[in-house]
Amino acid sequence: MLFNIFLLLAGLLFLVWSADKFVYGSSALARNLGLPPLLIGLTIVAMGSSAPEMFVAVTASLSGRPDTAIGNVLGSNVANIALILGITALFGAIRVSSQTLFREIPLMLIATLVAGYCLHDQQFSRAEALLLLLLFIGLMGYLIWHAIANRAKDRLADEAEQDIPRDVATWKALFWIAVGIILLPISANWMVDGAAGIAQYFGLSDLVIGLTIIAVGTSLPELAACIMGVLRREEDLAIGNIVGSNLFNILAVLAIPGLIAPGTVDAAAASRDFYMVLATSTALALFILLSGRKHRSLRRWHGVVLLITFVCYQISLFEHHQ
């Protein structure tokens, strides 16, 4: 048991660290190759926050544990909004002024509904997974085109570009990319193996371990990014990271278990957990939309409601398996 806990924590630490270094190296290399900073920010940097979920999904699916992969996606999306934004909002109101977010949040809701449709019959086929992946590619193409076409009008673009490293030697960028490529799959394997051992010891299902321990662990990088964004008065970037990560998770990462290990889905994932993802995503949209016409924001009391919701959800997951 102690070895499994050590394996889980070591896997998590190396997974988060190697994902950060991989994004750092990839962003620096892309800038050195002359790619527009806005394009780098919308692709490499935005997807980087979901790298832990992606490698966990691949590892779990290849290990014959697709429910862990699906649980990680659904649980991460709940944690990103209810836990990460809930905690971040306690530091002060998170103002939203970016027009990009007013497009991405409804797109996140639509993507969630499409994913729910794919899971609702408790069967996840390769065709459905391919549909999610094609939607993701189309969505990214649209967002990149729209952001470049409206480059001068959006504050989020400026904030995203500031996160891209400057003056990094190409050899150094390549070194960190190599470190990430080597360590990401190894650390993801450690994390999945450790979580599986803990689940077996306590009699938890693969789905629940993905919804709880793994989901919270892989969402931790977003917590630091969001708090720093608020403290730096880059509120749009804080929420933008969460919305972008959830879009990537629900379309691209969720497609992985469907492509690698299609088949039956845990009934709870297709009902209880999907509805929780939909509820928290809808709550985020309503909180921001109804907070005011001129100065829309996520306020402290919104954060309290989200945190209480997350705690109650986690308690219900564990009580269900007692």
Side-chain angles (χ1 to χ4, degrees):
M1 179 60 184
L2 288 176
F3 176 72
N4 285 324
I5 293 174
F6 170 78
L7 205 58
L8 174 71
L9 294 177
L12 173 61
L13 289 173
F14 278 104
L15 188 68
V16 171
W17 182 80
S18 57
D20 179 67
K21 294 304 180 184
F22 180 75
V23 172
Y24 174 84
S26 300
S27 302
L29 180 64
R31 185 188 280 275
N32 290 352
L33 293 175
L35 291 180
L38 177 59
L39 182 61
I40 301 170
L42 285 170
T43 54
I44 298 171
V45 175
M47 294 178 194
S49 60
S50 289
E53 286 90 346
M54 181 173 64
F55 277 88
V56 165
V58 171
T59 302
S61 300
L62 289 174
S63 301
R65 299 179 180 276
D67 282 331
T68 297
I70 293 171
N72 183 33
V73 170
L74 299 179
S76 291
N77 278 25
V78 171
N80 280 347
I81 293 175
L83 177 65
I84 307 304
L85 284 182
I87 292 174
T88 306
L90 298 182
F91 284 79
I94 309 174
R95 294 184 61 178
V96 181
S97 58
S98 169
Q99 292 303 310
T100 298
L101 288 177
F102 293 124
R103 274 186 305 276
E104 287 190 1
I105 291 175
L107 287 172
M108 179 181 68
L109 288 171
I110 294 170
T112 301
L113 289 171
V114 173
Y117 174 77
C118 293
L119 299 176
H120 85 282
D121 60 355
Q122 298 172 36
Q123 294 292 322
F124 195 21
S125 67
R126 281 198 174 93
E128 289 169 328
L130 189 59
L131 170 64
L132 293 179
L133 197 57
L134 290 174
L135 284 175
F136 172 73
I137 294 171
L139 177 63
M140 287 304 300
Y142 165 74
L143 290 176
I144 290 169
W145 168 80
H146 198 281
I148 292 175
N150 297 273
R151 168 67 185 84
K153 303 176 183 179
D154 204 321
R155 182 182 167 190
L156 181 61
D158 295 326
E159 294 177 0
E161 288 181 22
Q162 292 173 11
D163 276 3
I164 302 169
R166 298 173 180 270
D167 303 321
V168 178
T170 298
W171 71 265
K172 192 174 182 179
L174 289 170
F175 170 77
W176 287 121
I177 291 173
V179 168
I181 290 173
I182 293 169
L183 285 183
L184 276 167
I186 294 174
S187 53
N189 191 57
W190 288 354
M191 191 173 181
V192 170
D193 285 349
I198 294 171
Q200 188 175 14
Y201 182 85
F202 286 107
L204 300 173
S205 68
D206 288 344
L207 176 65
V208 169
I209 206 71
L211 286 165
T212 54
I213 299 172
I214 296 180
V216 172
T218 54
S219 293
L220 288 179
E222 280 91 341
L223 177 60
C226 284
I227 292 175
M228 289 305 298
V230 170
L231 294 178
R232 293 173 181 170
R233 308 308 301 168
E234 297 176 348
E235 294 100 331
D236 287 309
L237 190 59
I239 293 187
N241 283 338
I242 294 298
V243 175
S245 177
N246 279 18
L247 267 171
F248 187 80
N249 285 343
I250 206 71
L251 292 178
V253 181
L254 186 60
I256 292 172
L259 292 171
I260 296 176
T264 304
V265 175
D266 191 303
S271 53
R272 176 196 64 197
D273 305 315
F274 162 71
Y275 290 126
M276 191 63 187
V277 175
L278 183 60
T280 51
S281 300
T282 303
L284 175 62
L286 291 176
F287 284 158
I288 293 174
L289 183 64
L290 301 178
S291 61
R293 291 187 177 181
K294 290 186 177 180
H295 303 294
R296 291 192 171 96
S297 62
L298 196 66
R299 298 173 181 172
R300 279 194 175 94
W301 74 266
H302 294 151
V304 172
V305 171
L306 290 172
L307 275 175
I308 291 173
T309 301
F310 181 78
V311 171
C312 291
Y313 175 56
Q314 294 294 302
I315 291 173
S316 71
L317 289 174
F318 284 106
E319 284 186 342
H320 180 71
H321 278 79
Q322 283 184 352

